[in-house]
Amino acid sequence: MFVDRFKRDSWVMKTRDFIAALRQSLDKQLLFANTHGQVVHRGYHLTEIKAVAYDTVDCGGQKNRWNETILQLWAPRDPDGDYMKAGKFAHIYDKVRGLVSVDGDAEVRIEYGDDNFFPTAYYVGDVQEDAGTIRFLLEPPSTRCKARDRARSGDAQGCCA
């Protein structure tokens, strides 16, 4: 099982860190697991890379901007092969990066869904490696009130008081 090495609010996996981990494990099978230990099916495909720019206003009236890199996976009902190698995943990323402006400092998310994974864009959590695999923990997203969080830290008045 995974050991949670960080708190969600204090650290996020950046795109460049995710890709760097892949580059250090090019010949290893790349696995993605949820918090229950279930793994994305073998034979999955990296179907789309999205460079997303968010421009929002929260309920406290503060404007927020950030980027995310969303890596969309798809697995056929009848798996047609083994797990993708980390090197192949990195190669696809490099090819797309030549066509789409991907922010290396952006948080990376994995978008996926099947019978074991609710369809959503998961946070990428802890990473584990052994002799033949590199495995990333996918953590479900959660909602929060930025204005309330700012008010609790003393930075501003919240809207939800």
Side-chain angles (χ1 to χ4, degrees):
M1 203 46 135
F2 292 93
V3 177
D4 187 12
R5 295 187 304 185
F6 62 90
K7 296 270 186 222
R8 176 77 211 118
D9 293 336
S10 63
W11 189 87
V12 295
M13 184 165 290
K14 304 285 187 187
T15 302
R16 79 174 75 256
D17 298 330
F18 176 82
I19 297 300
L22 296 181
R23 292 192 199 293
Q24 293 175 7
S25 303
L26 295 175
D27 292 329
K28 293 183 178 182
Q29 293 182 359
L30 176 57
L31 282 72
F32 298 96
N34 65 18
T35 54
H36 303 292
Q38 297 161 316
V39 179
V40 171
H41 300 289
R42 47 180 82 242
Y44 70 82
H45 300 277
L46 173 57
T47 60
E48 190 169 24
I49 297 176
K50 303 172 187 180
V52 182
Y54 290 93
D55 190 8
T56 71
V57 176
D58 64 40
C59 62
Q62 182 167 322
K63 191 170 177 89
N64 303 281
R65 288 185 179 186
W66 73 93
N67 295 330
E68 289 181 2
T69 303
I70 300 175
L71 307 172
Q72 184 184 72
L73 305 181
W74 173 80
R77 288 206 184 274
D78 298 318
D80 59 349
D82 215 344
Y83 293 105
M84 184 180 292
K85 298 277 185 161
K88 180 176 181 180
F89 201 101
H91 176 74
I92 294 168
Y93 170 82
D94 289 339
K95 191 173 186 179
V96 171
R97 194 181 66 188
L99 301 169
V100 176
S101 180
V102 178
D103 179 359
D105 288 326
E107 179 175 2
V108 66
R109 302 270 208 118
I110 302 295
E111 185 176 70
Y112 182 71
D114 67 13
D115 294 340
N116 297 321
F117 289 78
F118 182 80
T120 193
Y122 289 87
Y123 297 117
V124 178
D126 199 14
V127 59
Q128 280 188 336
E129 290 189 62
D130 61 29
T133 64
I134 180 169
R135 177 186 304 238
F136 290 92
L137 175 65
L138 301 184
E139 300 177 12
S142 61
T143 58
R144 60 191 276 198
C145 178
K146 291 180 182 91
R148 189 189 79 187
D149 293 347
R150 284 192 306 275
R152 285 184 175 173
S153 69
D155 291 340
Q157 183 175 1
C159 69
C160 302

